[in-house]
Amino acid sequence: MDEVFDVAIIGAGMAGASLAAECAPHARVLLVEAEDTPGYHTTGRSAAFWEEAYGGPGVLPLTEASGRFLRDGGYLSPRGALNIGREVDRAKVEGFVDTFAKHGVTVELLDRAALTDRVPCLREDWTCAAWEPDCADIDVAGLHQHYLAMANRTGTVLRVRARVEHLERDAGAWRLRWRDGEARASLVVNAAGAWADGLAELAGARPIGIRPLRRTVVQLRTSPVPPADLPLTLGINEDFYFKPQGDRLWLSPHDETPDIARDAAPEELDVAVAIDRMEQVVDWKVDALERRWAGLRSFAPDRLPVYGFDPQAAGFFWFAGQGGFGIQTAPAAARLGAQLLLGLGADALTERIDAKTYDPDRFLR
């Protein structure tokens, strides 16, 4: 006989795990994961930082609300962020400061002298930056495990190695089937990340146009060793970022290469581009390339997340399109998602968030 649930959440990365944890006290929840372990793809490959401006003003309410939760839970550690530019980029840097200051972000314009105090061996053509002192590193693994454990304690059933192959609406409920099992649920949540549009098609819903974009990261051993207090350093033109990880450097070319939903792998060209761009910023020697990896960041057409019921497919709920900001917005997004999914009222974490901004209705009617 089929197992019967109130809610089946497909995808057990940060999005699915956090939503399961928020829903489980109020409903019987099934969490279905295609891989051997939850968080294998994007969640497990995150560069792990919380930056208020990341994702733009439309994402800021989710980031700010989540920041309070993350700080109180001990998941953040101080880092600071610099969005740096050359003199030709000064107007763009100043515009960044003006835009986000108006939205309440603590941000200030720094000159060359202040930059060299924070980034050793900075090449001379980098002259200005937007400084965000509140940027922090996130304990991604700790947060993900918190949500998985919370979901488990409140009765969520987790199924791994369970890639959903069949999904249909039957007698007012959804029937899910994977290779070694099946279940029924009143509601289905699409938390499948890069696979979100494919899952929608499997359910007979119309895809939104969520695109997976590949992001490359490398770990370098450098001389000098990156200072422990080196800020997250990003190009104002979104063409690189780097940050220390222990006594190593994590570096990305900030690539967004269109890809397909798969186990992403880094391309040699992207690795070479990343190192070349870093060497144009700082006069550091690369002693060794120790690791390289890639992940898929999935975006809706307007680059805002998608949270809410599909306007045409009954009982099908979107919780997708979190781009590269899904980790830093997870607490508020999950609370908001559970409230929308189960008809719960807003609380202190979500009361300043306009859920209509993220409604899938903006694409599907």
Side-chain angles (χ1 to χ4, degrees):
M1 187 174 180
D2 294 350
E3 291 185 278
V4 180
F5 298 87
D6 299 312
V7 178
I9 300 173
I10 301 175
M14 187 68 79
S18 59
L19 185 59
E22 292 288 350
C23 289
H26 312 283
R28 179 161 166 74
V29 177
L30 171 67
L31 184 58
V32 185
E33 171 57 46
E35 304 296 345
D36 292 350
T37 57
Y40 173 76
H41 290 287
T42 302
T43 297
R45 307 177 195 194
S46 169
F49 54 80
W50 181 88
E51 184 208 353
E52 283 177 283
Y54 194 51
V59 176
L60 186 56
L62 295 165
T63 300
E64 290 184 328
S66 296
R68 296 191 293 272
F69 180 101
L70 294 168
R71 280 189 293 270
D72 291 346
Y75 298 107
L76 298 183
S77 53
R79 172 61 54 199
L82 289 168
N83 282 270
I84 68 174
R86 298 177 171 93
E87 196 58 31
V88 70
D89 303 314
R90 181 171 291 274
K92 186 176 288 188
V93 174
E94 292 174 348
F96 182 101
V97 172
D98 290 344
T99 295
F100 287 102
K102 289 175 183 176
H103 284 86
V105 175
T106 301
V107 59
E108 63 177 305
L109 183 67
L110 298 186
D111 60 13
R112 167 77 187 179
L115 272 181
T116 55
D117 286 343
R118 291 171 170 83
V119 184
C121 305
L122 183 70
R123 295 193 182 276
E124 62 182 15
D125 50 338
W126 299 92
T127 59
C128 54
W131 167 240
E132 297 175 81
D134 295 335
C135 176
D137 292 336
I138 305 175
D139 178 3
V140 177
L143 182 64
H144 190 220
Q145 287 304 312
H146 159 78
Y147 280 127
L148 289 170
M150 180 178 167
N152 180 63
R153 285 195 304 270
T154 47
T156 294
V157 174
L158 173 65
R159 296 282 182 262
V160 296
R161 296 182 292 277
R163 186 175 299 279
V164 174
E165 298 170 345
H166 182 80
L167 185 59
E168 66 174 343
R169 190 77 172 166
D170 176 31
W174 287 96
R175 183 183 296 276
L176 303 81
R177 192 173 299 136
W178 54 94
R179 187 179 61 181
D180 298 321
E182 58 183 80
R184 290 176 62 86
S186 299
L187 304 172
V188 162
V189 176
N190 183 355
W195 286 260
D197 266 9
L199 184 68
E201 290 184 300
L202 190 65
R206 199 172 87 203
I208 279 175
I210 292 178
R211 297 193 306 154
L213 304 176
R214 190 175 68 249
R215 170 63 52 87
T216 305
V217 184
V218 299
Q219 177 175 297
L220 304 176
R221 179 162 49 84
T222 65
S223 298
V225 172
D229 61 353
L230 179 74
L232 169 68
T233 303
L234 310 98
I236 194 65
N237 293 310
E238 299 185 348
D239 50 0
F240 67 85
Y241 64 78
F242 54 80
K243 57 172 278 192
Q245 185 71 14
D247 59 357
R248 300 297 192 259
L249 189 77
W250 279 10
L251 164 70
S252 173
H254 213 289
D255 47 334
E256 289 192 349
T257 306
D259 210 321
I260 59 174
R262 60 171 177 162
D263 187 357
E267 300 284 344
E268 289 298 327
L269 178 59
D270 295 327
V271 171
V273 167
I275 294 172
D276 177 67
R277 289 178 181 173
M278 182 208 74
E279 291 176 336
Q280 294 179 45
V281 178
V282 287
D283 186 17
W284 297 352
K285 178 185 175 185
V286 176
D287 295 323
L289 169 59
E290 295 186 334
R291 292 176 57 207
R292 66 192 81 188
W293 65 95
L296 296 177
R297 305 154 75 252
S298 48
F299 286 94
D302 61 2
R303 297 180 72 91
L304 293 178
V306 185
Y307 306 139
F309 282 104
D310 189 286
Q312 298 171 347
F316 187 81
F317 188 92
W318 290 85
F319 198 67
Q322 291 97 332
F325 43 79
I327 307 295
Q328 70 174 38
T329 60
R335 185 73 56 83
L336 176 67
Q339 291 165 355
L340 296 172
L341 182 65
L342 302 177
L344 306 173
D347 65 2
L349 190 62
T350 61
E351 62 187 359
R352 297 183 180 180
I353 299 171
D354 182 2
K356 293 180 181 178
T357 303
Y358 313 116
D359 196 317
D361 186 62
R362 68 192 196 267
F363 300 115
L364 295 175
R365 284 204 185 277

